[in-house]
Amino acid sequence: MILTHGVGGRQDLPLPLEYVIAGAVLALLVSFGLLVLTTKRAAAGKEIASTDPQSRNPRGWPLPRLGRVVDSPAWTALWRVVGMVIFAYFVLVAFAGLDNANNPIFGMTYVWLWVGIVPFSLLFGPVWKAISPARTIVAGLTWLRGAGDPPLRLPERLGYWPAAFTLLAFAWLELVYPENNYLGPVRLWLAVYLAVMILGGVLFGEKFLERTDPFEVYSSLTARLSVWGRTAAGNLVLRTPLGNLDTLRPAPGLVAVVSVLFGTIVYDSYRESPQWLQIVQNPEISGSTAYLINNVALIALPLLVAGFYSAGTMLTGVGDVPRRALPAELAPSMVPIIAGYVVAHYLSYFWESGLATLRNASDPMGTGADWFGTADMPVSYFFAYHGTLLAVIKVAAVIVGHVLGVWSAHIRALQVLPKQHLVVGQVPLLLTMVGFTVGGLYLLFAA
């Protein structure tokens, strides 16, 4: 298994890092300038979007035939079966497999699931919702219980707050807990996760899974950038990614979720930098102190992201929307930024460790078996030998993510800002995006 998440540092860049950062900032400013021109023309033609948040329901291209297939009971059952087969294999290797790095459970959890959930959701929509074993088990238990509403109702004020804590809990397991490469802790975490999801799903219904399951929330948020959308009536349509993202409604805890997702990537980038290693590997610092420092940093960085983002959005010019509501209103603009950083930071890790996991999956017991014909498959280290190409892809992913974030924020701003603040009112948010770009690229190439 490849232990480090990112390969390719600033030495692999074709230009000095300062030039790259300056170019990225220039791309944001040019994008914003073009959007400003569009806004002025729209205002002159009185084509500004409605400021009523409830009116957000962008059109799409109907897909009636495909919709009938994906909404059919047979299609749903197929992916439920696929999910349960994968789950059965997962349980098998978790309890009968070797307790070493060759056990595919680690790659399935940290690589295929946690990292792979982003590209798969971008391509196919909310994939975890389709194959989640927790959803399948809850559906079975609900069917046995009989028709009717769940016994309890999940309070709306909770929103996405439960998911923010479960996402942080998984990030802690992956990034901070020192024994995260042993079977025992991974089995325990996933067993507790599954038990909570099943119990909550039975008591509160599917709403609990939609707002608490870290993998489903992560997948569903990322899927808003896919081309697959739904109308208000639930019909399948094809949309532009930003049009699809605009259907995401603000809810309590949404800012916390995007801050945790972005902040943990920032932490993961910075913990591999020489500056951070000098702190935690200082001979004068004990192991327990270094562990405490890592825990504090994992919590502090999402809080810092949330504070910086909230300040930038609340300084934005307002009309009828209260300032305290603006962070949640504009939070969807963080989703493309998160997706960009996932591609930039985890691309080589996903490629190399994902292939290694596929190879190990054929022989999980270490007996020389070849269950899937991949036991002798070589692992490609393409990106390790093409550092400059990887560095360019990383920069491009970050820039594209931020440009789409600015674009998404602009679309939202047209809906929530008064006409007199449509341009000037977006400047604080633009400065926030520039700050994320500068800081993110610096940390990404700090190692």
Side-chain angles (χ1 to χ4, degrees), residues 78 139 146 179 194 205 208 211 213 242 263 273 281-282 298 311 362:
L78 170 64
E179 296 184 359
L194 190 62
F208 181 87
R211 297 300 177 89
D213 188 334
L242 289 182
S273 67
Q281 295 181 0
N282 190 324
L298 182 70
S362 276

Side-chain angles (χ1 to χ4, degrees), residues 118-134:
V118 172
F120 286 124
S121 299
L122 287 174
L123 291 173
F124 305 112
V127 292
W128 186 250
K129 191 174 183 178
I131 67 172
S132 167

Side-chain angles (χ1 to χ4, degrees), residues 83-107:
M84 290 306 293
V85 169
I86 297 174
F87 175 65
Y89 174 84
F90 189 92
V91 173
L92 174 65
V93 299
F95 288 93
L98 300 174
D99 193 358
N100 59 33
N102 290 327
N103 192 315
I105 187 176
F106 301 110

Side-chain angles (χ1 to χ4, degrees), residues 37-52:
L37 292 177
T38 303
T39 300
K40 289 182 176 180
R41 290 176 182 175
K46 298 182 180 180
E47 297 174 356
I48 292 297
S50 170
T51 58
D52 179 11

Side-chain angles (χ1 to χ4, degrees), residues 366-426:
T367 60
D370 191 6
W371 293 1
F372 309 116
T374 60
D376 297 323
M377 182 187 71
V379 175
S380 169
Y381 295 99
F382 174 82
F383 291 111
Y385 292 107
H386 298 82
T388 299
L389 174 62
L390 177 62
V392 171
I393 293 174
K394 291 165 73 169
V395 171
V398 170
I399 293 176
V400 170
H402 277 90
V403 169
L404 292 178
V406 169
W407 197 346
S408 173
H410 177 76
I411 294 173
R412 286 290 174 118
L414 294 182
Q415 298 164 350
V416 300
L417 298 183
K419 291 184 178 181
Q420 64 269 27
H421 291 158
L422 282 178
V423 176
V424 178
Q426 296 182 59

Side-chain angles (χ1 to χ4, degrees), residues 233-292:
N235 298 320
L236 183 68
V237 294
L238 200 65
R239 285 200 187 105
T240 61
L242 289 182
N244 211 15
L245 182 63
D246 195 42
T247 63
L248 180 60
R249 299 291 185 265
L254 183 58
V255 174
V257 165
V258 296
S259 298
V260 167
L261 290 173
F262 186 52
T264 51
I265 297 174
V266 171
Y267 167 78
D268 195 14
S269 298
Y270 190 55
R271 75 188 182 109
E272 296 172 2
S273 67
Q275 298 90 337
W276 183 255
L277 293 176
Q278 287 176 3
I279 296 174
V280 296
Q281 295 181 0
N282 190 324
E284 299 180 0
I285 295 179
S286 64
S288 58
T289 303
Y291 178 58
L292 177 61

Side-chain angles (χ1 to χ4, degrees), residues 11 16 35 44 50 52 64 70 102 114 125 136 162 185 187 209 297 330 348 362 364 418:
Q11 73 279 358
L35 291 172
S50 170
D52 179 11
V70 300
N102 290 327
W114 185 242
T136 303
R187 281 192 307 228
L209 299 174
L330 300 171
S348 59
S362 276

